[in-house]
Amino acid sequence: MNIQESIQKRRSVRTYTGQSLKREHITALKQFISQLPPFHNIKARIEHLSVFSGEKPIKLGTYGKISGAKDFIVLIYENIPFAEAAAAYQFEQVILFCTELGLATCWLGAAFNSNDFKKHVQLNKNETLKIVSPVGYPAEKQRFLERLVRVDKIHNSRKPFGELFFYQNFDTPLTEETAGIYFIPLSMVRLAPSGHNKQEWRIIKNDNVFHFYKNPCSPFDNIDIGIALCHFIETCKEINVQIKLEFLTDYPISNNLQYMVSCIVG
Ligand SMILES: Cc1cc2nc3c(=O)[nH]c(=O)nc-3n(C[C@H](O)[C@H](O)[C@H](O)COP(=O)(O)O)c2cc1C
């Protein structure tokens, strides 16, 4: 998979044709999910559900802007530390694979009826289901509601590089020069989807260490960090830079942001 290409191509699609996924797409999707490695030793459960899974059509309710979706991928993870971010990392890998196949997706944390989905995935007591995504064929014409909220404008409205990434401390914005070869992986983080497009992750580069911070008040803080880590680490891999994940005790402190984890080169 060409990660940079998929990251640049991916966007949230909310209007689908109403056509079910073709068999070859279901097979490719299931195969990709089954071979997906754990992230930081944590394996998420990612299930494919179709409205036509059973003998009779099942109800998989979505709200508002989402229309015409017949297939979904569902993210399930255990309630253990870091599992939410690790699961989001793996779910974004699946989203990017779908993008590569030419399939449309949209992370959903709110606009779906979670009880409908929970009925069909046998959720254990220690598991959480809070994210799904439709997966299917994008309708050529956006539905009125999707046009009304001007999703294309939202997709393109990313914060400037220097407001998201910093050099050694939060007072010094990172530039293309100080980012060096990491300008591309960080530019891929900038394109990451996030809840309400808030982009509440911040990164400090300190030599070969990248400290990741989140806004703990954001409802999707851990999920957004998992997606950002996916874009950063997978793009680094693509340019032959290997990353190790570490939870450090010594990092620059911020008044309103919470330190999450560090990516160490090599
Ligand atoms: C954790 C998470 C939850 C989201 N929940 C919803 C949702 O409930 N409804 C929706 O329409 N979009 C949802 N989105 C999509 C974001 O609004 C979208 O990613 C963001 O606006 C950027 O646009 P883009 O994905 O086209 O780049 C969610 C995204 C993430 C990462």
Side-chain angles (χ1 to χ4, degrees):
M1 165 156 54
N2 183 327
I3 283 290
Q4 290 175 58
E5 222 172 84
S6 297
I7 288 175
Q8 289 174 81
K9 199 167 129 198
R10 186 216 58 84
R11 56 181 56 235
S12 294
V13 172
R14 295 174 178 87
T15 314
Y16 293 79
T17 57
Q19 201 191 344
S20 286
L21 273 191
K22 292 178 190 155
R23 188 165 294 278
E24 76 235 39
H25 282 145
I26 296 180
T27 308
L29 182 60
K30 287 191 170 172
Q31 213 233 324
F32 183 82
I33 291 171
S34 68
Q35 58 75 55
L36 203 56
F39 178 65
H40 206 65
N41 290 325
I42 296 171
K43 182 96 174 94
R45 179 148 77 95
I46 300 175
E47 303 275 353
H48 164 252
L49 277 185
S50 158
V51 167
F52 302 109
S53 286
E55 282 172 18
K56 281 194 222 149
I58 58 171
K59 190 164 166 269
L60 298 171
T62 55
Y63 304 123
K65 292 167 269 173
I66 308 297
S67 74
K70 295 287 183 280
D71 291 82
F72 293 85
I73 43 174
V74 184
L75 178 60
I76 300 151
Y77 47 89
E78 280 190 73
N79 303 322
I80 51 172
F82 200 63
E84 196 162 75
Y89 188 110
Q90 292 161 71
F91 200 69
E92 180 66 357
Q93 286 178 291
V94 178
I95 293 272
L96 294 173
F97 177 70
C98 289
T99 309
E100 190 179 70
L101 290 181
L103 300 173
T105 57
C106 181
W107 279 80
L108 294 182
F112 71 101
N113 183 334
S114 62
N115 288 331
D116 285 354
F117 287 80
K118 282 176 188 168
K119 265 188 220 160
H120 301 286
V121 294
Q122 285 161 341
L123 201 65
N124 297 323
K125 261 196 197 141
N126 63 337
E127 287 181 324
T128 296
L129 186 168
K130 97 176 192 195
I131 293 289
V132 304
S133 167
V135 49
Y137 308 103
E140 274 185 18
K141 257 193 146 180
Q142 285 179 339
R143 206 163 143 241
F144 173 71
L145 256 173
E146 202 177 357
R147 284 203 314 274
L148 190 74
V149 292
R150 301 170 75 192
V151 289
D152 287 338
K153 195 166 171 239
I154 295 173
H155 171 79
N156 290 323
S157 64
R158 294 298 198 264
K159 292 191 167 82
F161 192 87
E163 279 181 30
L164 297 170
F165 311 123
F166 299 87
Y167 185 55
Q168 295 185 335
N169 55 55
F170 280 108
D171 299 326
T172 320
L174 196 68
T175 61
E176 191 166 348
E177 290 74 57
T178 48
I181 60 160
Y182 303 102
F183 181 71
I184 291 176
L186 290 168
S187 299
M188 295 300 118
V189 174
R190 194 172 159 260
L191 297 179
S194 58
H196 308 291
N197 201 24
K198 292 230 184 227
Q199 307 154 71
E200 300 252 47
W201 13 253
R202 300 290 178 271
I203 301 173
I204 295 186
K205 178 184 184 301
N206 199 345
D207 295 329
N208 281 346
V209 180
F210 294 81
H211 304 295
F212 281 62
Y213 294 79
K214 64 177 187 177
N215 176 353
C217 302
S218 162
F220 297 110
D221 55 350
N222 294 320
I223 304 233
D224 288 348
I225 283 277
I227 303 171
L229 283 168
C230 172
H231 283 209
F232 184 71
I233 296 174
E234 294 299 319
T235 308
C236 280
K237 274 190 204 163
E238 196 166 80
I239 59 169
N240 289 321
V241 174
Q242 296 310 316
I243 297 287
K244 238 176 33 203
L245 209 63
E246 273 196 36
F247 298 92
L248 301 177
T249 47
D250 188 18
Y251 46 79
I253 299 288
S254 153
N255 288 337
N256 48 354
L257 296 173
Q258 190 180 322
Y259 168 77
M260 184 80 182
V261 67
S262 301
C263 287
I264 302 175
V265 177

